[in-house]
Amino acid sequence: MNNVRLNLRLDNRLDIKRVAMEEAESNHDQMVKKLDDYYTMMKRQILQYQSCPLGLFPTIGSKDNQSRAANVRDSIYCAVAAWSLSQAYRRIDDDKGKTHELGQIAVKCMRGILFCWIRQADKVEKFKSNQNPVFALHSIFDIITGDPIYPDDDYEHLQIDAVALYLIFLIQMVSSGCQLIFTTDEVNFVQNLVFYVERAYRTPDYGMWERGSKYNNGSTEIHASSIGMAKAALEAVNGNNVYGEQGAAWSVIYVDIDAHNRNRTIFETILPRESNSKNTDASLLPTICWPAFAIHEEPVKRQAVNKVIRKLKGNYGIKRFFRDGYMTELEDKNRKYYRPAEIKNFDGIESEWPIFYLFIMIDCIFHGDKEGAEKYQKLLKPLLVESPDGLLIPQYYYVPADKIDLEKSKPGSQKRLASPVGSTDGIFMWGQAVYLISQLLSDGLLNVNELDPVRRYLPALERPKFSARYSKFQGTPPDLIIQIVLIAESTRLQQLLATYGIQTQTPHQIEPIQIWSPKELTKAYEYLGVNKKLGLTGRPSRPFGVLSTSKIYRACSKTILCYPLLFELSDFYLAQDISLVMDDCKNDLAFLSKRWKLSGRPTWCMVIRENSIRGHNFGEFLDLLSQFKKGSVDGIRVSLGRLQSFISSACIEHLDFLHTLIDPGIFTKFEEKAVGSNFKSLTDIPSLIDIVEDGHVNKKDLLPRSTYDLCQMLRSVSGLTIQSQILEILYEREGPLYRTEGQTVEERLERLVQKAGAHKHWSVVRLCSALLGKLVDSLAPSVTSVLVRGKQITVGVFGHEEEVLDKPVGPNEIKTIIYGKCLPYDIRQAVLQQELILCLGKIIATSSELFDGILKIRIGWFVRAIEVEMEQEQGSAFDIHAISPHHVKEMMLTVLTRNTYEADIRTPFQKRQLDGALNRVPKDFYDRVWEILERTPGGIKVAGYLLPQQPTLSDMTMYELNFSLLVEQMLSKIVDPSYRQIMVEAFMVVSIILERNPELMFQQAVNMDKIIQEAYDEFQRDLNKSEGREKQDDMRCFFNTAPNVKHGTTGYIGKTVMRTLLDGDLRVTMDDMCCVS
């Protein structure tokens, strides 16, 4: 009986096992069948159109009318579709060669693109130093010959996102085992493609839609989608070997971590906007979702995606952006560009693109959101078109010509038609490729890790690490510790600091480790990517930031640590202000604590020179060193110690590309200062000798003197001020090369800068520096940091002509502009305004909320604001040029916050004067101006400037940044800060009146100056009655009157607007009139 039971159990187990095997075999067979179906579909819909010579794909797949134009972006997605199916086939043991075939199809396409681009290596070389659209890599090529289809200036080729997309999928495919790169020449070219995209954060381009701004007038602008793609590409390629697992050390790709950080910071700052003209854009979806996954901060990502869906989603797909006229029935297909105000015609009838449902669906699959994926699959299903080749996805859906008026009157009410491309007139290759990828994922045939081998979809901390030899991105650890190494310039300085309990090392004591300046690191990286055959010179000679200098490098059999640019002996005078240097030290550490994204700890090297301890700031300097010793600097965790003990925990970067360097001795290490072995005491470090200034001499008194007399006088005076005045006259009269006492004027000015800086005589320092035409380091990045936050900068002396910086420009161009605007009026402001721009760049990067309500930062007006505030504090005239750079920075912060923190103790005049000088406006100010303009056919007039209703309202939208900038352009015609602020208040009053009385509208142009003048006249009449005051032209009394009180400015302005209404300048559009309350 027991044997029978045992046999029954065995039979049951065998049956279960047999059933399981049959089910597994059935599942396997089903999977093979599905894959084969997709293989057939891929062949019919995409692969049959691949060109034989280069493997490129046409933009439109058609058997009857085959196009020879291949768009790089479209070809990449087609290659990815083939590669994705290849990845899926890897699960099958007997794939009948399809895995290899599909993989090689993708390889051929990617190499075809590389072939086209490598023939344009000269453009890459030029673009690295000059991001001009003429030097951009082409985006469209002939699929047979690989020749460019359009000339440089006949097509919008500058599309940073296309090059970045190529780099992302290059690494994805290499990581999956594909071999795309064959030779050293190609490795070098790929490295130069990295240099090409590194400056995306400051490169206005034409974007994914190849049209630049939404006005389609040929203008470029900075696009968040381009920056995000570049940022993702830099993360993907950093430290990866383009030869794959079998690669050598010299086939590794390097990334400037500081350039990556700038792209990252600015990308996150611009989001959820796309650009100045586009409040949002569908191109953000492939940037922040698959394939780039450019951001992993979930709140920021959700905000951007939800805004795209909320603003642009329709019943047939997602619009590219507001007022996009592409392929609408109203678009003139015979014209390349639109006319002014033409985009208003496309409002509400923009084409809707189903492809963007796919990007959202794929993102849902990557993040395990089955409901979301099913939702967009259902939305997509009725939009697909049946064809002999299977289901096709149309390029877009459009409103027919006879339904346009009905659609505009009731958005979403009319049935749209599928575009010929993707339905009846060829295959929309980009959309079809993405559709096939989405279905492979949806059917479970392709795993997300197979589509994304480098795990872009995961936060950096969760991604697998492939090599410890090269730095890799990771998240910032919550307990990050910054390692600090103190290097003393000399032995006697080291001993002096030791008496205060500060332990340092000298360059000799850390040997064989070397200390390099950042310039030497820049020189080393100039050998990266060099290729004489292709005419490529390697990395441009641009300085590295504090992130790059916080790595420890191994190169040429040496271990190297770089000190930050902050401690470089600079030609500019800021390094002579020790208080500012100490402040910048803290900023560097704060920056590292927030922005360090690499594996290993940052190592920050502080070089201490003897000049640092001379003067009155030595105590402040010791306080900072004491904080280092305690392990905390303003809440930032630090560890002070010996360099040798930090190496094991540091971030190490191997510069293997220097292995072919013939003479490693070309690099100069930081040498210890020789002081001799016979110094007797620590007081041997020279101290400053006090200088007695000569009696007050005005430059006007010196002008009549002859050159000979001035030279003689220069020999006898000791005061720094009079020396600078004499040299200024000699410079202007005789030129910089005029010689006196064996030295040129230029050489004497240089010496005077150093001497005056040591004695903290800042007015002399600034005058001499300006005469020498000095330019501060990092000026261009500071300007860019401000611009990408949607603000503009103007330079020029207060009360005189200004020039607007509204796009990133190079340092030399900025120098030309600043000196050109300041030189005729106050030459010292040429360097002072550089200081302020540098301060602004740092402040806005860390405390952008201080600039809320400030859209146009007028540097000359900021100078005036500081002067006025200091004069009010001191009760006397104030010379801003005489205070230290650190004091200027403190005053900058003061004027930005004073009206907020000290509002209760400031007079209305003081508030208005400061807010006016800062160009600060209320939160919804620009929206209210828009609403006024909607009710004013004749436009708005301020200080002789007319803001017309048309084409303004037709070209722009209320929430568009460009409209706000246009309003600022109008307000910039006002020359008095207080009057500007009263003007802002007047706009708010007019807006409230029109808001509460919707039946009113202006019949003629609104003259805002007239409204304010009449309000002031009424104010004076009341003062005359109550206090007997005589009429005055000076409005200061009016400016010093509170707005929202009895007999306040708001009341007078409101009365004037109502009086204008009764005089007939306002037209009533309804029978009943509402009251103004």
Side-chain angles (χ1 to χ4, degrees):
M1 188 69 178
N2 289 335
N3 289 336
V4 172
R5 290 175 180 172
L6 181 62
N7 289 334
L8 285 172
R9 287 197 198 109
L10 289 172
D11 289 342
N12 288 336
R13 288 176 183 175
L14 289 171
D15 288 342
I16 292 170
K17 188 173 182 181
R18 184 167 56 252
V19 169
M21 290 177 65
E22 288 174 354
E23 286 181 356
E25 188 175 346
S26 175
N27 290 338
H28 178 268
D29 291 342
Q30 288 179 14
M31 183 171 68
V32 171
K33 184 180 183 305
K34 283 185 178 180
L35 286 173
D36 287 344
D37 289 343
Y38 278 112
Y39 176 80
T40 303
M41 197 185 306
M42 185 85 68
K43 282 280 191 180
R44 285 181 179 176
Q45 297 177 353
I46 293 179
L47 301 186
Q48 69 165 318
Y49 302 110
Q50 187 177 28
S51 72
C52 294
L54 296 175
L56 302 180
F57 293 88
T59 301
I60 302 170
S62 175
K63 300 172 186 175
D64 302 326
N65 186 21
Q66 179 69 52
S67 169
R68 289 186 60 164
N71 183 290
V72 166
R73 190 183 294 102
D74 297 351
S75 288
I76 291 172
Y77 278 104
C78 291
V80 172
W83 169 70
S84 299
L85 188 55
S86 169
Q87 290 286 87
Y89 263 114
R90 290 191 178 194
R91 301 181 182 185
I92 309 301
D93 184 36
D94 182 15
D95 63 1
K96 299 179 181 178
K98 291 172 184 172
T99 300
H100 180 75
E101 177 199 4
L102 291 164
Q104 291 305 106
I105 286 171
V107 168
K108 178 156 187 162
C109 178
M110 296 293 280
R111 287 193 56 76
I113 296 170
L114 185 66
F115 169 79
C116 295
W117 276 348
I118 214 165
R119 294 167 69 194
Q120 297 188 331
D122 60 315
K123 288 183 175 295
V124 176
E125 180 61 26
K126 293 173 183 175
F127 191 85
K128 288 187 297 184
S129 56
N130 183 358
Q131 289 77 48
N132 190 307
V134 176
F135 304 138
L137 284 170
H138 284 213
S139 56
I140 294 184
F141 295 94
D142 187 295
I143 63 172
I144 305 298
T145 65
D147 294 333
I149 297 286
Y150 303 102
D152 294 342
D153 55 355
D154 197 36
Y155 195 82
E156 287 69 21
H157 292 292
L158 180 50
Q159 300 163 36
I160 298 288
D161 69 289
V163 181
L165 185 72
Y166 180 84
L167 289 172
I168 290 171
F169 279 117
L170 172 72
I171 296 302
Q172 294 279 25
M173 292 181 186
V174 168
S175 298
S176 72
C178 295
Q179 187 176 353
L180 272 72
I181 304 300
F182 292 173
T183 66
T184 311
D185 299 327
E186 293 174 0
V187 173
N188 292 333
F189 185 76
V190 171
Q191 180 65 65
N192 276 269
L193 289 182
V194 173
F195 301 149
Y196 185 97
V197 303
E198 273 183 348
R199 306 196 95 190
Y201 66 92
R202 52 160 294 143
T203 306
D205 70 346
Y206 292 104
M208 188 177 289
W209 310 129
E210 306 172 352
R211 289 192 167 190
S213 73
K214 76 174 183 183
Y215 312 123
N216 188 28
N217 55 10
S219 62
T220 57
E221 61 181 359
I222 288 177
H223 291 90
S225 56
S226 295
I227 299 172
M229 279 286 185
K231 178 249 185 191
L234 295 177
E235 291 175 354
V237 303
N238 181 52
N240 271 299
N241 199 311
V242 290
Y243 279 178
E245 293 181 359
Q246 309 303 318
W250 42 264
S251 52
V252 171
I253 303 299
Y254 293 82
V255 165
D256 177 359
I257 178 66
D258 289 285
H260 164 267
N261 177 70
R262 293 187 194 106
N263 281 292
R264 172 181 173 270
T265 304
I266 290 167
F267 175 57
E268 293 173 3
T269 300
I270 296 177
L271 287 179
R273 279 189 303 116
E274 161 69 347
S275 65
N276 281 4
S277 70
K278 300 167 191 166
N279 190 255
T280 187
D281 193 301
S283 63
L284 289 171
L285 293 177
T287 304
I288 56 185
C289 302
W290 177 84
F293 297 108
I295 192 165
H296 293 90
E297 284 72 14
E298 196 60 28
V300 182
K301 176 183 176 180
R302 282 295 112 209
Q303 183 188 15
V305 172
N306 291 341
K307 187 173 183 180
V308 171
I309 295 172
R310 187 176 70 254
K311 299 279 190 181
L312 303 177
K313 181 178 174 294
N315 298 325
Y316 296 84
I318 293 177
K319 301 171 183 177
R320 301 196 305 181
F321 52 87
F322 282 130
R323 297 184 175 178
D324 172 28
Y326 180 74
M327 288 299 172
T328 61
E329 288 292 279
L330 295 182
E331 185 182 52
D332 186 347
K333 310 300 189 292
N334 298 316
R335 280 189 289 112
K336 182 178 180 179
Y337 298 132
Y338 295 157
R339 296 190 179 103
E342 187 174 356
I343 62 170
K344 176 70 172 176
N345 300 336
F346 315 125
D347 198 356
I349 61 163
E350 302 92 337
S351 299
E352 295 178 0
W353 295 55
I355 186 176
F356 294 109
Y357 282 170
L358 296 173
F359 283 107
I360 299 175
M361 175 184 160
I362 292 173
D363 190 62
C364 290
I365 294 172
F366 264 95
H367 293 92
D369 181 5
K370 292 183 179 180
E371 290 183 7
E374 290 173 0
K375 172 186 173 182
Y376 282 95
Q377 183 84 294
K378 288 179 182 178
L379 288 173
L380 181 71
K381 190 174 180 180
L383 305 179
L384 300 175
V385 176
E386 292 188 8
S387 77
D389 294 326
L391 292 175
L392 301 181
I393 182 169
Q395 184 179 13
Y396 56 86
Y397 277 83
Y398 68 97
V399 179
D402 59 337
K403 305 291 185 184
I404 286 176
D405 291 338
L406 293 172
E407 177 67 17
K408 284 190 173 185
S409 62
K410 190 177 180 182
S413 63
Q414 302 304 304
K415 183 179 179 181
R416 290 173 177 248
L417 302 180
S419 63
V421 176
S423 58
T424 60
D425 191 16
I427 295 173
F428 175 40
M429 300 292 280
W430 175 26
Q432 206 62 32
V434 177
Y435 172 70
L436 289 170
I437 294 168
S438 71
Q439 298 313 296
L440 287 171
L441 287 168
S442 180
D443 287 350
L445 301 174
L446 182 67
N447 186 277
V448 293
N449 291 334
E450 293 166 337
L451 182 58
D452 184 13
V454 298
R455 312 295 196 269
R456 286 283 320 140
Y457 73 98
L458 294 175
L461 263 177
E462 300 175 25
R463 293 175 199 152
K465 303 291 187 294
F466 298 103
S467 170
R469 186 172 180 82
Y470 308 100
S471 62
K472 285 287 183 181
F473 288 104
Q474 67 170 29
T476 303
D479 57 347
L480 178 70
I481 296 176
I482 300 172
Q483 303 177 156
I484 297 181
V485 176
L486 302 182
I487 302 296
E489 182 182 38
S490 65
T491 306
R492 66 181 178 187
L493 176 58
Q494 181 187 39
Q495 293 188 18
L496 174 63
L497 293 171
T499 62
Y500 293 96
I502 306 298
Q503 300 301 316
T504 61
Q505 293 176 279
T506 63
H508 179 71
Q509 290 172 336
I510 64 168
E511 291 178 350
I513 303 173
Q514 295 184 358
I515 301 293
W516 279 11
S517 83
K519 289 182 179 178
E520 295 303 309
L521 184 62
T522 300
K523 188 195 300 183
Y525 267 84
E526 287 174 6
Y527 291 91
L528 176 62
V530 172
N531 191 289
K532 292 182 179 178
K533 285 190 285 184
L534 295 174
L536 300 172
T537 58
R539 184 184 182 273
S541 182
R542 291 193 286 264
F544 283 102
V546 68
L547 294 172
S548 297
T549 56
S550 296
K551 300 178 187 178
I552 290 177
Y553 294 90
R554 297 195 192 275
C556 306
S557 303
K558 298 182 178 66
T559 302
I560 300 148
L561 176 63
C562 288
Y563 56 81
L565 198 61
L566 171 63
F567 300 114
E568 186 74 291
L569 290 174
S570 173
D571 188 44
F572 208 74
Y573 56 82
L574 294 182
Q576 294 176 294
D577 185 357
I578 300 303
S579 295
L580 185 68
V581 173
M582 296 301 99
D583 202 33
D584 287 344
C585 288
K586 294 178 181 179
N587 289 338
D588 268 9
L589 296 176
F591 178 80
L592 281 171
S593 70
K594 292 178 182 177
R595 297 296 179 181
W596 184 257
K597 301 292 179 183
L598 300 178
S599 54
R601 290 177 178 175
T603 307
W604 189 75
C605 175
M606 183 179 195
V607 173
I608 307 174
R609 292 184 168 86
E610 292 183 352
N611 284 343
S612 303
I613 68 168
R614 301 168 70 186
H616 306 293
N617 303 98
F618 186 46
E620 183 182 349
F621 179 72
L622 286 178
D623 288 342
L624 180 63
L625 298 185
S626 298
Q627 290 182 58
F628 290 166
K629 192 175 179 181
K630 292 175 183 177
S632 177
V633 180
D634 294 343
I636 299 162
R637 298 179 67 189
V638 300
S639 176
L640 181 64
R642 292 167 53 83
L643 175 55
Q644 290 87 340
S645 63
F646 283 152
I647 291 178
S648 60
S649 56
C651 174
I652 308 291
E653 189 74 88
H654 291 77
L655 305 185
D656 292 327
F657 58 87
L658 294 174
H659 73 288
T660 57
L661 203 61
I662 298 174
D663 180 18
I666 61 171
F667 303 113
T668 305
K669 63 180 181 179
F670 179 69
E671 298 285 357
E672 189 170 322
K673 185 176 181 179
V675 295
S677 57
N678 59 345
F679 69 92
K680 298 178 181 179
S681 71
L682 301 176
T683 57
D684 279 0
I685 297 176
S687 58
L688 292 175
I689 301 172
D690 292 334
I691 292 178
V692 179
E693 284 291 330
D694 299 274
H696 177 73
V697 178
N698 196 301
K699 180 185 174 183
K700 292 180 181 178
D701 300 329
L702 297 173
L703 283 172
R705 298 187 179 224
S706 67
T707 298
Y708 175 80
D709 289 343
L710 289 174
C711 292
Q712 293 301 312
M713 190 176 182
L714 189 61
R715 297 176 61 183
S716 60
V717 296
S718 60
L720 302 180
T721 303
I722 191 170
Q723 287 184 49
S724 67
Q725 291 173 337
I726 294 172
L727 288 171
E728 179 184 10
I729 296 171
L730 291 176
Y731 186 95
E732 294 169 348
R733 187 183 294 176
E734 307 293 345
L737 301 181
Y738 179 75
R739 302 186 73 85
T740 172
E741 293 188 295
Q743 290 183 313
T744 64
V745 171
E746 187 175 44
E747 291 169 345
R748 296 196 67 141
L749 283 169
E750 288 283 6
R751 286 181 56 197
L752 191 55
V753 167
Q754 297 302 318
K755 191 173 183 180
H759 287 84
K760 315 306 178 192
H761 205 313
W762 299 111
S763 181
V764 172
V765 169
R766 290 188 174 100
L767 174 61
C768 296
S769 297
L771 287 169
L772 291 167
K774 289 190 180 292
L775 183 70
V776 69
D777 292 326
S778 303
L779 190 61
S782 297
V783 171
T784 303
S785 184
V786 174
L787 296 180
V788 296
R789 286 166 171 82
K791 304 185 187 297
Q792 290 185 343
I793 294 178
T794 69
V795 294
V797 178
F798 176 79
H800 298 281
E801 185 184 3
E802 300 168 284
E803 181 147 345
V804 179
L805 300 178
D806 56 1
K807 61 182 178 181
V809 289
N812 291 329
E813 189 176 347
I814 298 175
K815 176 182 176 180
T816 301
I817 293 170
I818 291 178
Y819 276 90
K821 294 300 174 187
C822 297
L823 196 61
Y825 309 106
D826 188 347
I827 189 172
R828 294 175 298 176
Q829 284 215 19
V831 290
L832 177 65
Q833 295 202 12
Q834 293 182 54
E835 287 181 45
L836 293 182
I837 291 172
L838 210 61
C839 288
L840 287 167
K842 292 175 181 177
I843 295 171
I844 203 169
T846 55
S847 307
S848 59
E849 69 280 358
L850 296 181
F851 295 86
D852 288 348
I854 303 174
L855 191 59
K856 182 174 284 188
I857 299 173
R858 303 169 74 179
I859 304 299
W861 284 49
F862 263 73
V863 172
R864 181 61 186 154
I866 294 173
E867 289 176 336
V868 168
E869 290 300 309
M870 290 300 294
E871 285 169 3
Q872 290 172 354
E873 280 185 13
Q874 298 180 0
S876 59
F878 172 76
D879 182 12
I880 188 175
H881 306 95
I883 64 176
S884 70
H886 182 250
H887 194 183
V888 170
K889 184 179 180 180
E890 288 183 330
M891 284 305 303
M892 171 78 78
L893 287 167
T894 298
V895 298
L896 283 168
T897 58
R898 179 159 281 176
N899 270 1
T900 302
Y901 299 138
E902 301 179 14
D904 295 339
I905 60 173
R906 291 175 66 75
T907 67
F909 176 70
Q910 289 174 330
K911 291 179 183 177
R912 286 186 174 117
Q913 196 173 35
L914 184 53
D915 278 339
L918 298 179
N919 285 219
R920 183 172 273 144
V921 299
K923 185 177 181 181
D924 58 348
F925 173 72
Y926 302 110
D927 300 346
R928 289 185 175 274
V929 176
W930 176 275
E931 290 166 351
I932 294 172
L933 195 59
E934 285 182 318
R935 312 264 288 274
T936 315
I940 300 171
K941 196 172 185 180
V942 172
Y945 180 95
L946 178 67
L947 177 63
Q949 187 188 65
Q950 295 298 342
T952 307
L953 297 186
S954 299
D955 267 352
M956 300 178 180
T957 56
M958 178 189 290
Y959 305 110
E960 188 177 317
L961 185 59
N962 281 347
F963 174 71
S964 303
L965 294 170
L966 195 61
V967 175
E968 278 299 327
Q969 182 180 337
M970 173 179 69
L971 294 176
S972 67
K973 306 303 176 183
I974 300 171
V975 296
D976 179 10
S978 304
Y979 185 78
R980 177 199 152 92
Q981 199 58 25
I982 281 286
M983 180 65 71
V984 169
E985 294 172 21
F987 271 111
M988 298 298 288
V989 172
V990 173
S991 169
I992 291 170
I993 290 174
L994 292 179
E995 182 182 350
R996 295 178 180 178
N997 297 269
E999 75 284 0
L1000 304 180
M1001 66 182 294
F1002 286 94
Q1003 191 172 12
Q1004 299 174 354
V1006 184
N1007 191 330
M1008 297 299 295
D1009 298 288
K1010 182 180 177 183
I1011 288 175
I1012 293 175
Q1013 183 61 48
E1014 290 182 3
Y1016 175 59
D1017 292 341
E1018 179 73 17
F1019 171 77
Q1020 285 205 105
R1021 281 194 292 271
D1022 286 353
L1023 273 185
N1024 184 40
K1025 290 178 184 177
S1026 61
E1027 301 178 16
R1029 292 194 187 183
E1030 295 182 1
K1031 185 177 180 180
Q1032 297 178 346
D1033 293 332
D1034 185 4
M1035 288 189 174
R1036 178 159 182 158
C1037 187
F1038 189 58
F1039 297 157
N1040 202 27
T1041 302
N1044 300 313
V1045 296
K1046 188 177 181 181
H1047 301 299
T1049 55
T1050 298
Y1052 286 104
I1053 294 171
K1055 287 179 187 178
T1056 305
V1057 173
M1058 294 306 299
R1059 189 180 303 112
T1060 308
L1061 165 65
L1062 296 175
D1063 288 344
D1065 282 349
L1066 285 167
R1067 177 158 52 92
V1068 182
T1069 57
M1070 293 172 60
D1071 293 336
D1072 298 325
M1073 182 187 297
C1074 300
C1075 297
V1076 178
S1077 57

